[in-house]
Amino acid sequence: MKLRLVSGDETNDLALLQAPSPFKDVAKIRQNPIPVGNGVVAIGYPYHGLLTSDFTVTTGIVSSLSGILNDTRFLQISAAVQPGNSGGPLFDLGGSVVGVVAAKLDAVTVARATGTIPENINFAIKTGALRDFLDNSAVQYQTAEWRDSLKRETPEIAKDARGYTLLIVCKVNEQSAGAKKP
């Protein structure tokens, strides 16, 4: 299906895309902040076509409530992510979205600077930035509050995510890209 770009947030690397028809299933965004040490599930399409055409599921924990240089827009997570996970949902163990996968620490750059290879240092945009973006775009969304009784198994979370997690492939039409040609 073709999606239409409605709005974007370059600072937080978020985009709002409109589908031709509404989705039957929707994700819920966690209302209360996730604490350090809580488990998370990352879903995405890393190296799509090279490894698998299906989405992948990885688990980890929230390692820190801030990113590089204490950037509080981010969660630091230990769930493994690769190129292709960006933009994918990060869930708590109840299946609510706690972030949007954004990046992984550049291992080569860190190794050159420190002499050591970093492991499992990845980042997701927190739901505060996501909710602000959706609010500013006048998009309605559902929220959920965490309770220990909501804890679910990873396969259940992944099964539900199939209803609202899509592979997005960006293609630019030369006509829509503008008339700037050398």
Side-chain angles (χ1 to χ4, degrees), residues 80-138:
V81 299
Q82 306 300 329
N85 277 100
S86 294
L90 181 70
F91 298 101
D92 65 16
L93 296 182
S96 296
V97 174
V98 294
V100 177
V101 176
K104 64 184 287 172
L105 195 61
D106 185 329
V108 174
T109 301
V110 172
R112 284 185 184 137
T114 66
T116 61
I117 298 173
E119 295 181 36
N120 299 329
I121 301 176
N122 307 301
F123 304 97
I125 296 288
K126 289 180 182 176
T127 56
L130 174 60
R131 285 192 313 263
D132 288 347
F133 175 65
L134 294 174
D135 289 342
N136 290 336
S137 300

Side-chain angles (χ1 to χ4, degrees), residues 7 17 21 30 55 69 92-93 101 111 113 115 139 150 152 172-173:
S7 63
L17 304 174
S21 59
R30 182 173 168 148
F55 70 47
L69 299 174
D92 65 16
L93 296 182
V101 176
V139 173
L150 297 176
R152 301 168 61 208
V172 177
N173 179 330

